Amino acid sequence: MPDLSKCVIFFDIGNTLASVRVGPNTNSIELTAFPDVPPVLKELRDNSAQLGIISNRGDIPEQSVNDALERAGLRQFFNPKFIIYGPKDSSLIFEQAATRVRQSIGSDKTPVLMFVGEDATERAFAQAADYLVR
């Protein structure tokens, strides 16, 4: 495992951080954090890892997803600059996230980028963009 102080670890939301329930209109979303997730996120953050999200919100408004993260007790763990929503159907979103990280922390630093998600195809796209995956 690399030095966590040099890592930016991105997580998918659905079926990775939490179970998701979307209401009949796409403005309604509820997240239930999996029990082991908050302690793991806290430990990562306490060990100086920066945490982010790469997740597809579909038609759900960004603020609705952010509010659901807050209600689930998860938003506090994530750097708002590193919360990125969009389709993970290619390596593009992972490349965009990497660019955002480099712009935020300085291009002279070389962070270790990681992606944690349950979908093997999404992990493969992340890996193609030079992320470590779990």
Side-chain angles (χ1 to χ4, degrees):
M1 179 66 125
D3 177 357
L4 289 176
S5 68
K6 297 179 180 177
C7 292
V8 179
I9 307 170
F10 287 94
F11 292 83
D12 184 30
I13 296 175
N15 296 320
T16 299
L17 294 175
S19 62
V20 178
R21 193 187 66 184
V22 178
N25 72 45
T26 57
N27 290 330
S28 172
I29 179 173
E30 287 302 321
L31 302 175
T32 303
F34 296 127
D36 293 340
V37 166
V40 168
L41 295 176
K42 181 181 182 316
E43 183 174 340
L44 290 168
R45 186 187 61 194
D46 289 351
N47 283 288
S48 301
Q50 292 198 58
L51 305 180
I53 290 173
I54 297 176
S55 194
N56 190 353
R57 61 180 174 78
D59 294 332
I60 302 166
E62 183 174 336
Q63 191 59 51
S64 295
V65 178
N66 290 339
D67 291 346
L69 284 166
E70 187 71 40
R71 287 190 302 275
L74 297 175
R75 187 165 170 153
Q76 65 178 321
F77 297 106
F78 298 98
N79 181 334
K81 293 179 190 174
F82 301 151
I83 297 177
I84 301 162
Y85 297 119
K88 295 174 295 214
D89 55 2
S90 73
S91 61
L92 180 62
I93 195 167
F94 299 100
E95 293 163 4
Q96 292 169 336
T99 297
R100 187 177 295 185
V101 167
R102 284 191 288 283
Q103 290 171 341
S104 178
I105 67 170
S107 59
D108 59 325
K109 297 185 173 121
T110 306
V112 175
L113 299 173
M114 300 177 77
F115 176 70
V116 180
E118 84 295 342
D119 186 282
T121 302
E122 293 171 357
R123 290 192 309 270
F125 289 136
Q127 200 165 27
D130 293 327
Y131 284 65
L132 299 176
V133 296
R134 293 278 180 240

